[in-house]
C-alpha cells in the first residue's frame, strides 16, 4: 500500500528509454541463440584493432565451428552508413582471422578452449546484422553489403517462436537459414556409413492414385533421425516464396504430445507424411542397388537409403509428432526420458518419391493438396494458410493474385511494413479480409459480366498469364501494385494527417476496402489513371475518419465506396448505383 509520503517515479528520459530498448533487444537476441544451443561471448563494449581498423562487436554466438558475429541495432536513421561500417568490419575479420581469434582469447581467457577448438580454416564465420525495425534496402544494397547476412524482425520473431517451442532443436532451422549442410558443421567425418540412414521398407505402393508418376514408400525411422533431417515449409519463415503453406508450431499442442510420449513411452501409430529428397536409393537383400520401379516385386525385402543431411526431408503432415521429441538442453526428468526415446522410438513414415525432373512448383502443389486433404476434417486451418494453399494450387485465382499484390505492396512505398503478411506480425493491418472482399475483384483475370478489373487495362502477355507463367504473373502483379501506389499515394498526400495518425480509421480494413472497391467500380468510367489524376480527385476532399465520427461498420465496404464515388470522383448518384 502506498503511503502519503511515497513519491511518484519520474518518467524515463528519452535517453533512458532508448537504453532500455537496446537492453531488451539484446536480451531477446541472446535468448534466441543460447536457447538453441549456441554459447554466448559477451563482446559488447570491447573494442579491438583487427587488420586496418578498429572493430566493436555486439555479441558472438558459437556452436562447434559455427561463429555468429552479431551486430544488433534499434537505429532508424543513417542506417546505411552503420551497415557499411559493419560490412567492412566483417571483411577485415575474415582477412585477419588468426589475429581476431588471438584477440578474443586474450579478452576472454575463460573461453579459450571454445575459441581454439577448431583450426581457423574450419571455422564458418557469419556476420549477422539484426535490426529491430525493418530495413529499407534495395537488391543492390544486399549485394553491396554481402559480408553481412540480414536478420529482419519477422525472421527474428520466427526464430524466437521456434526456440520457445522446440529449444535446441531449433538450431537446425537456423542452420537452414545460413544454408549450412552436415559437412559444414563440426569435425570432418571420414565414415560414409554415418552419413546415411538405412530404413527397411514396410510397404512399397505400386499405385498411389497420385499424378505425374509420384510413388509412395512406407518405412520406420527414428525420431532422432527425423529431427536431424527434416524441415517444414512454414509460411511465416524468412523465405520469399509462394510455395510455403504450413502453419507455425502450436506450442500448447507440442507440449501435450511431448507429455504423452514421456508418459506412454511409445510412438504414434498414424503415419507421418513427408516428401523425400531426390538422392535416396534402394538396396535389395544382396545389397544391389534397385530403382523404385523394381522394389514392388521384392515383397518388402528391400532397404531405403536416405542421406543423413540437414533439412532434406520435407514434412507434409506430422510436424508436432516429430518435434515433440526435441532436444531441450535442460537436465530435467522429462528430457532424460525423451533423450532415450528419441533414439529408441521409430515413427511410421510415408514418403513421397517424386520424379527427379518434376519442378519444385509441381511438388509443392501435390504436397499442399495432401496437407489440405488431411487437415480438412481436423483442427481448423487458419485463413491465411488456406489462402496460401489456394495460391499454390492456382496462382492466377483472384485471391492468389491479390495475395501477391499485398506482399509486394508491403515491401516498399506508402504501405511498407504496414500490412500483416505473417501471423507473427502484430499491430499491422490484417489483410485476409482485404484480399477476400475487395482486392480480388480489382485484380481478377475473370471479371464478372459487365464488370472490369485491372486485367482489362494490362497490356502484357495475357495468354502467358492465363497459362500461369511465373514471369507474366510477376509483370501483372507489378502493374497492379503500381496502380494501387498511385491511387493510395494520392489519398495519403491529401489526407496526410489521418494517414499518419494511428488513432484514425483511415488505415483500417473497412476504409481500405471501401477505397479499393471504389477504384474497381470507377474503372468503367475513368479507366486506369496516373497519380496526378487521383491527386486531383482527392484534392480538397474531406471525410471524418475519427473513431467517433466514422459512420461505417465492418460490413459496409460497398456503402462507403459509393460515398467515395459520389463525393470524391463526382460520379452522379444514379450512375453510382449502376457501377
Amino acid at each position: 500500500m502506498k503511503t502519503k509520503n511515497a513519491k511518484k517515479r519520474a518518467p524515463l528520459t528519452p535517453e533512458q528509454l532508448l537504453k532500455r530498448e537496446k537492453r531488451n533487444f539484446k536480451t531477446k537476441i541472446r535468448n534466441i541463440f543460447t536457447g538453441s544451443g549456441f554459447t554466448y561471448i559477451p563482446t559488447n563494449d570491447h573494442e579491438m584493432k583487427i587488420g586496418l581498423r578498429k572493430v566493436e562487436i555486439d555479441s558472438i554466438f558459437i556452436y562447434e565451428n559455427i561463429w555468429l558475429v552479431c551486430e544488433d541495432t534499434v537505429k532508424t536513421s543513417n542506417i546505411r552508413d552503420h551497415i557499411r561500417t559493419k560490412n567492412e568490419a566483417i571483411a577485415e575479420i575474415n582477412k585477419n582471422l588468426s589475429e581476431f581469434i588471438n584477440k578474443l582469447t586474450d579478452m576472454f581467457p575463460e573461453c579459450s578452449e571454445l575459441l581454439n577448438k577448431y583450426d581457423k580454416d574450419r571455422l564458418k564465420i557469419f556476420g549477422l546484422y539484426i535490426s529491430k525495425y525493418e530495413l529499407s534496402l534495395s537488391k543492390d544494397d544486399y549485394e553491396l553489403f554481402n559480408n553481412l547476412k540480414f536478420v529482419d524482425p519477422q525472421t527474428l520473431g520466427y526464430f524466437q517462436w521456434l526456440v520457445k517451442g522446440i529449444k535446441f532443436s531449433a538450431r537446425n532451422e537456423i542452420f537452414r537459414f545460413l544454408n549450412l549442410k552436415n559437412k559444414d558443421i563440426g569435425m570432418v567425418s571420414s565414415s560414409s556409413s554415418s552419413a546415411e540412414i538405412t530404413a527397411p521398407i514396410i510397404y512399397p505402393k505400386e499405385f498411389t492414385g497420385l499424378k505425374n508418376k509420384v510413388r509412395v514408400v512406407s518405412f520406420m525411422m527414428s525420431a532422432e533421425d527425423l529431427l536431424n533431417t527434416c524441415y517444414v515449409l512454414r509460411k511465416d519463415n524468412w523465405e520469399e516464396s509462394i510455395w510455403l503453406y504450413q502453419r507455425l508450431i502450436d506450442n500448447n499442442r507440442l507440449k501435450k504430445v511431448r507429455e504423452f510420449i514421456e508418459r506412454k513411452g511409445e510412438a504414434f501409430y498414424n503415419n507421418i507424411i513427408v516428401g523425400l529428397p531426390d538422392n535416396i536409393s534402394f538396396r535389395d537383400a544382396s545389397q544391389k542397388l534397385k530403382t523404385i520401379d523394381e522394389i514392388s516385386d521384392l515383397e518388402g525385402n528391400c532397404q531405403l537409403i536416405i542421406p543423413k543431411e540437414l533439412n532434406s526431408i520435407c514434412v507434409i503432415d506430422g510436424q508436432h509428432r516429430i518435434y515433440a521429441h526435441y532436444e531441450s538442453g535442460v537436465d530435467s526428468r522429462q528430457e532424460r526420458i525423451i533423450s532415450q526415446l528419441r533414439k529408441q522410438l521409430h515413427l511410421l513414415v510415408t514418403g513421397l518419391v517424386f520424379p527427379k525432373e518434376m519442378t519444385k512448383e509441381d511438388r509443392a502443389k501435390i504436397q499442399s493438396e495432401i496437407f489440405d486433404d488431411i487437415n480438412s476434417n481436423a483442427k481448423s486451418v487458419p485463413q491465411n494458410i488456406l489462402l496460401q494453399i489456394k495460391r499454390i494450387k492456382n496462382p492466377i485465382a483472384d485471391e492468389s493474385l491479390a495475395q501477391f499484390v499485398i506482399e509486394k505492396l508491403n515491401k516498399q512505398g506508402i504501405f511498407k511494413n504496414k500490412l500483416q503478411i505473417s501471423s507473427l506480425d502484430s499491430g499491422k493491418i490484417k489483410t485476409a479480409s482485404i484480399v477476400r472482399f475487395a482486392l480480388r475483384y480489382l485484380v481478377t483475370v475473370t471479371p464478372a459480366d459487365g464488370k472490369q478489373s485491372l486485367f482489362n487495362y494490362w497490356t502484357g502477355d495475357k495468354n502467358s498469364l492465363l497459362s500461369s507463367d511465373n514471369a507474366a504473373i510477376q509483370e501483372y502483379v507489378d502493374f497492379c501494385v503500381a496502380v494501387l501506389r498511385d491511387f493510395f499515394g494520392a489519398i495519403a498526400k491529401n489526407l496526410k494527417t489521418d494517414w499518419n495518425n494511428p488513432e484514425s480509421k483511415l488505415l483500417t480494413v473497412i476504409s481500405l476496402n471501401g477505397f479499393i472497391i471504389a477504384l474497381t467500380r470507377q474503372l468503367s468510367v475513368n479507366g486506369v489513371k496516373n497519380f496526378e489524376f487521383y491527386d486531383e480527385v482527392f484534392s480538397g476532399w474531406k471525410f471524418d475518419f475519427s473513431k467517433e465520427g466514422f459512420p461505417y461498420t465492418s460490413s459496409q465496404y460497398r456503402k462507403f465506396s459509393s460515398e467515395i464515388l459520389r463525393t470524391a470522383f463526382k460520379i452522379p448518384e444514379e450512375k453510382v448505383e449502376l457501377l
Side-chain angles (χ1 to χ4, degrees):
M1 187 180 220
K2 288 184 180 180
T3 65
K4 288 183 179 179
N5 295 325
K7 294 183 179 179
K8 275 189 176 182
R9 182 176 294 178
L12 297 177
T13 65
E15 291 77 14
Q16 289 172 321
L17 288 170
L18 180 61
K19 188 175 181 180
R20 175 190 284 182
E21 183 183 21
K22 287 180 178 179
R23 183 175 64 249
N24 290 344
F25 190 52
K26 287 179 183 296
T27 300
K28 176 180 179 178
I29 293 167
R30 179 177 176 178
N31 288 343
I32 288 170
F33 289 114
T34 58
S36 57
F38 286 79
T39 300
Y40 170 61
I41 308 292
T43 52
N44 196 37
D45 297 327
H46 287 75
E47 189 177 76
M48 62 187 93
K49 187 173 185 297
I50 303 295
L52 301 175
R53 65 180 303 129
K54 290 182 178 179
V55 171
E56 185 177 324
I57 297 162
D58 285 341
S59 55
I60 296 177
F61 299 94
I62 296 177
Y63 177 82
E64 297 294 341
N65 61 321
I66 310 302
W67 288 27
L68 309 181
V69 180
C70 299
E71 174 67 23
D72 58 75
T73 183
V74 297
K75 288 171 67 73
T76 56
S77 60
N78 300 320
I79 198 76
R80 288 185 88 262
D81 288 340
H82 188 247
I83 293 171
R84 177 183 50 76
T85 300
K86 300 306 174 182
N87 185 66
E88 292 170 358
I90 294 296
E92 209 65 21
I93 286 170
N94 282 320
K95 278 193 271 183
N96 302 276
L97 197 49
S98 294
E99 181 184 359
F100 181 57
I101 295 169
N102 291 337
K103 290 280 178 69
L104 288 174
T105 304
D106 290 342
M107 287 180 179
F108 305 100
E110 71 279 8
C111 300
S112 176
E113 185 177 349
L114 175 68
L115 293 166
N116 293 278
K117 183 177 180 179
Y118 289 88
D119 182 83
K120 70 179 180 65
D121 294 330
R122 183 60 182 162
L123 296 182
K124 301 286 183 184
I125 309 292
F126 292 92
L128 299 188
Y129 191 91
I130 309 171
S131 174
K132 182 176 179 181
Y133 302 104
E134 297 284 350
L135 299 173
S136 298
L137 298 180
S138 67
K139 184 179 179 182
D140 289 342
D141 286 332
Y142 286 111
E143 292 179 5
L144 179 64
F145 305 128
N146 59 7
N147 294 315
L148 298 172
K149 192 163 183 67
F150 294 90
V151 182
D152 62 28
Q154 179 181 323
T155 302
L156 193 68
Y158 174 68
F159 289 150
Q160 183 181 39
W161 184 272
L162 279 186
V163 170
K164 181 182 177 182
I166 61 175
K167 318 302 183 203
F168 276 22
S169 293
R171 188 170 56 232
N172 287 349
E173 192 75 348
I174 294 173
F175 291 156
R176 189 160 82 93
F177 173 73
L178 299 173
N179 199 29
L180 290 168
K181 303 295 183 185
N182 280 49
K183 64 182 177 61
D184 301 317
I185 303 166
M187 298 294 182
V188 178
S189 174
S190 60
S191 172
S192 60
S193 62
S194 65
E196 63 183 32
I197 301 161
T198 303
I201 294 174
I202 298 170
Y203 183 44
K205 291 187 179 180
E206 187 167 5
F207 301 104
T208 64
L210 296 174
K211 301 175 183 178
N212 300 322
K213 300 180 181 178
V214 177
R215 300 292 299 274
V216 171
V217 292
S218 293
F219 55 95
M220 301 294 288
M221 190 170 177
S222 75
E224 183 172 67
D225 282 339
L226 268 171
L227 272 173
N228 290 327
T229 55
C230 75
Y231 68 99
V232 179
L233 293 172
R234 299 187 185 95
K235 72 173 294 295
D236 296 287
N237 77 7
W238 65 89
E239 296 170 284
E240 291 188 6
S241 169
I242 73 162
W243 312 113
L244 309 174
Y245 60 90
Q246 288 266 22
R247 52 195 158 192
L248 283 169
I249 282 179
D250 182 327
N251 289 330
N252 288 329
R253 184 178 175 193
L254 194 73
K255 181 182 177 183
K256 290 177 182 177
V257 175
R258 188 171 173 88
E259 288 171 350
F260 170 87
I261 295 169
E262 177 193 9
R263 185 174 67 254
K264 300 282 285 186
E266 59 186 44
F268 291 86
Y269 298 111
N270 47 338
N271 287 27
I272 287 164
I273 314 295
V274 303
L276 292 171
D278 285 342
N279 56 347
I280 59 170
S281 56
F282 301 91
R283 292 190 193 132
D284 64 13
S286 62
Q287 298 300 297
K288 289 182 180 178
L289 290 176
K290 296 288 182 180
T291 69
I292 191 168
D293 294 319
E294 296 172 319
I295 64 174
S296 58
D297 298 325
L298 299 177
E299 299 180 354
N301 191 14
C302 188
Q303 291 181 330
L304 168 65
I305 311 301
I306 306 172
K308 189 179 285 187
E309 183 56 76
L310 283 170
N311 304 305
S312 59
I313 296 176
C314 180
V315 179
I316 300 169
D317 187 68
Q319 64 167 323
H320 291 90
R321 281 170 278 153
I322 298 172
Y323 285 106
H325 298 84
Y326 65 78
E327 180 187 352
S328 74
V330 177
D331 185 20
S332 63
R333 177 182 179 277
Q334 185 185 70
E335 175 59 26
R336 288 192 292 272
I337 293 172
I338 298 290
S339 66
Q340 293 300 315
L341 294 176
R342 269 198 295 273
K343 298 177 176 64
Q344 295 169 6
L345 293 183
H346 280 59
L347 308 178
L348 181 58
V349 182
T350 292
L352 275 63
V353 183
F354 297 102
K356 290 185 179 180
E357 67 276 8
M358 181 177 283
T359 65
K360 67 177 183 179
E361 292 85 359
D362 287 337
R363 297 181 194 214
K365 286 178 183 178
I366 291 171
Q367 291 175 172
S368 64
E369 285 170 3
I370 292 171
F371 173 84
D372 197 19
D373 290 342
I374 291 171
N375 288 279
S376 60
N377 295 315
K379 180 182 176 181
S380 60
V381 179
Q383 185 62 37
N384 61 347
I385 297 292
L386 293 176
L387 281 174
Q388 187 68 2
I389 290 172
K390 289 177 183 176
R391 176 162 64 163
I392 293 172
K393 288 181 178 179
N394 182 6
I396 63 165
D398 304 347
E399 293 184 9
S400 302
L401 290 169
Q403 190 63 31
F404 279 121
V405 170
I406 285 287
E407 290 173 3
K408 196 129 194 175
L409 279 172
N410 196 57
K411 287 185 180 297
Q412 61 186 38
I414 54 171
F415 283 109
K416 181 175 173 59
N417 300 323
K418 292 182 183 294
L419 305 173
Q420 187 184 68
I421 303 300
S422 162
S423 57
L424 291 172
D425 292 337
S426 59
K428 296 186 179 182
I429 302 167
K430 291 182 169 53
T431 57
S433 292
I434 294 175
V435 167
R436 292 181 67 197
F437 299 114
L439 191 54
R440 60 183 295 193
Y441 302 108
L442 178 66
V443 302
T444 179
V445 297
T446 54
D449 289 342
K451 305 294 182 183
Q452 293 187 3
S453 74
L454 294 182
F455 184 68
N456 297 96
Y457 298 88
W458 182 55
T459 58
D461 188 341
K462 293 185 177 181
N463 288 331
S464 293
L465 177 61
L466 294 174
S467 63
S468 297
D469 176 76
N470 278 335
I473 291 172
Q474 289 306 317
E475 287 178 14
Y476 180 58
V477 168
D478 288 344
F479 170 74
C480 296
V481 167
V483 173
L484 284 163
R485 283 186 179 144
D486 281 345
F487 179 66
F488 279 105
I491 294 169
K493 175 188 173 185
N494 289 284
L495 301 171
K496 189 173 183 179
T497 302
D498 282 310
W499 190 272
N500 294 323
N501 180 6
E503 299 299 315
S504 167
K505 298 286 284 185
L506 178 55
L507 285 178
T508 61
V509 172
I510 168 61
S511 293
L512 295 177
N513 277 1
F515 281 114
I516 293 170
I517 293 169
L519 177 62
T520 307
R521 293 172 68 188
Q522 64 81 49
L523 285 175
S524 59
V525 177
N526 300 309
V528 171
K529 299 294 185 180
N530 56 20
F531 170 82
E532 287 72 22
F533 175 86
Y534 301 122
D535 186 25
E536 187 175 339
V537 166
F538 292 106
S539 177
W541 186 68
K542 304 292 183 185
F543 200 82
D544 188 350
F545 287 98
S546 68
K547 286 184 177 180
E548 301 77 20
F550 190 72
Y552 298 105
T553 62
S554 59
S555 60
Q556 295 179 314
Y557 309 136
R558 185 175 175 85
K559 191 173 181 181
F560 181 41
S561 76
S562 295
E563 173 87 20
I564 296 165
L565 292 173
R566 286 193 305 269
T567 60
F569 283 92
K570 308 299 184 186
I571 298 174
E573 176 77 40
E574 61 275 10
K575 194 164 186 176
V576 167
E577 296 305 314
L578 299 175
L579 296 178

